[in-house]
Amino acid sequence: MRSSPAAPALPYPGAITDVRGIDAGHYTDPRRPTGCSVVIAPDGAVGGVDVRGAAPGTRETDLLDPANLVGVVHAVLLSGGSAWGLDAAGGVMRWLAERGTGLRVGAAPGQIVPIVPAAVLFDLHVGDARIRPDADAGYAACDAARSGPVPQGNVGAGAGATVGKLFGMAHAMKGGIGSAAVTVGGVTVGALIAVNALGDVVDPATGAPIAGARTADGRALRGSVAAVLAGEAPLSLLAGTNTTIGVIATDAPLTKAQCQRLAGAGHDGLARAIQPVHTMSDGDTLFALTTAQAPALDFNVLCVMAAEAVARACVNAVRAAQGIQTDTLNLPCASDLIAAHA
């Protein structure tokens, strides 16, 4: 398997770990492009979720409903491997429990339950589909978690991510995982997004595609929305074979209901950066966490920040990605197409 040279500098600064009380880490499987990523709140966090795609693969999302009992989240897992990748959450739970982090359900040893919601994306068509993230992968991602800079591109849940599949994998490009953060009034909102979309990733500032479905010769971007509106027929795809998943985090204090609303605002960022988005073949899911370690900020401002952080993280994901070639697929990255036209 061959890959492109190192990706260029990223356009947007910051990472989800700029949020006080948040760590993040990846595990990338060396055997094929797949992996998982974890966002950890060592002191616990209030959480919410918003699922917009029609084919999600998730775990513990019902628990995050504001009407339900449990009000704390200890980590969120993002994983490749389709539904198989949900196994990795068990490793995250084991790692947290070994460190005494979780919901106490009794005084006896072992009576602790870490709360680990999770979402998966489909990457089984890149390499050997028998290789999927498992509990050991989730544990290793936790071992790698830090509060500093977050690796981006072909790592963790973004290792096997692809974009621009509306006209088939032969015209697709490499996706990835990206992070970004914005700060206003001493409060930070950050995002970690694994971009594996059916649609194209566009520059929110111009609407121009950055990575996505390519033309028949593979040398330029087709523009999926424009192509569909011009009458080009997309291929019929199995539901759930795509999906963009991610975590938004802030250090502003929020209720559980506000976290759910913040996750919803983050989907505005997906809509700015991915076209089309929330399709029948995507399981787009965003989680939101608050560590409440900063002052309060107007909630409307936080929603603006969440959408912006998500959009920026999507752009960083494809800018950081490196192209790969397997025996059956050629998946160039955004910088490959730029170099081809230099």
Side-chain angles (χ1 to χ4, degrees):
M1 185 175 296
R2 298 189 298 277
S3 62
S4 302
L10 301 182
Y12 293 114
I16 196 169
T17 49
D18 292 354
V19 175
R20 283 165 276 195
I22 291 292
D23 298 338
H26 305 294
Y27 170 75
T28 307
D29 199 306
R31 297 171 296 171
R32 85 161 179 96
T34 193
C36 59
S37 303
V38 66
V39 175
I40 300 175
D43 298 322
V46 177
V49 66
D50 191 307
V51 180
R52 298 283 178 94
T58 57
R59 176 184 189 272
E60 299 280 41
T61 50
D62 284 348
L63 175 148
L64 297 177
D65 188 307
N68 291 337
L69 176 66
V70 175
V72 64
V73 171
H74 303 102
V76 175
L77 173 79
L78 308 175
S79 183
S82 189
W84 295 101
L86 292 172
D87 282 351
V92 178
M93 291 184 68
R94 174 161 51 93
W95 189 93
L96 291 167
E98 288 175 0
R99 288 151 182 81
T101 300
L103 187 66
R104 282 284 170 188
V105 295
Q111 291 185 327
I112 185 170
V113 181
I115 305 301
V116 184
V120 294
L121 56 79
F122 185 95
D123 60 6
L124 299 180
H125 42 32
V126 185
D128 186 344
R130 295 170 296 181
I131 299 170
R132 289 98 47 159
D134 56 12
D136 288 342
Y139 192 100
C142 292
D143 266 346
R146 301 289 185 271
S147 59
V150 177
Q152 301 181 56
N154 295 23
V155 293
T162 52
V163 298
K165 292 162 278 187
L166 200 63
F167 302 100
M169 285 298 297
H171 303 288
M173 291 180 63
K174 187 69 183 69
I177 194 165
S179 195
V182 293
T183 300
V184 175
V187 171
T188 299
V189 177
L192 180 70
I193 310 294
V195 182
N196 186 57
L198 177 69
D200 302 342
V201 177
V202 305
D203 183 344
T206 65
I210 303 169
R214 291 173 290 144
T215 53
D217 64 7
R219 295 176 54 83
L221 291 169
R222 182 186 309 229
S224 290
V225 170
V228 168
L229 294 177
E232 291 191 46
L235 293 185
S236 177
L237 296 172
L238 179 66
T241 52
N242 303 282
T243 301
T244 295
I245 52 178
V247 183
I248 302 161
T250 183
D251 38 29
L254 297 174
T255 66
K256 196 174 179 184
Q258 286 175 319
C259 283
Q260 184 184 60
R261 180 63 64 179
L262 194 71
H267 280 282
D268 294 346
L270 289 189
R272 293 176 197 166
I274 299 172
Q275 297 178 3
V277 72
H278 304 146
T279 74
M280 293 300 291
S281 295
D282 287 288
D284 301 333
T285 300
L286 293 180
F287 299 92
L289 304 176
T290 171
T291 60
Q293 295 187 17
L297 188 66
D298 182 275
F299 187 66
N300 286 327
V301 175
L302 289 172
C303 288
V304 170
M305 295 166 70
E308 185 65 19
V310 167
R312 292 181 180 188
C314 290
V315 173
N316 279 351
V318 294
R319 290 294 192 194
Q322 298 180 42
I324 61 174
Q325 287 187 328
T326 70
D327 291 340
T328 58
L329 289 174
N330 173 34
L331 296 167
C333 61
S335 58
D336 288 335
L337 261 63
I338 291 171
H341 291 86

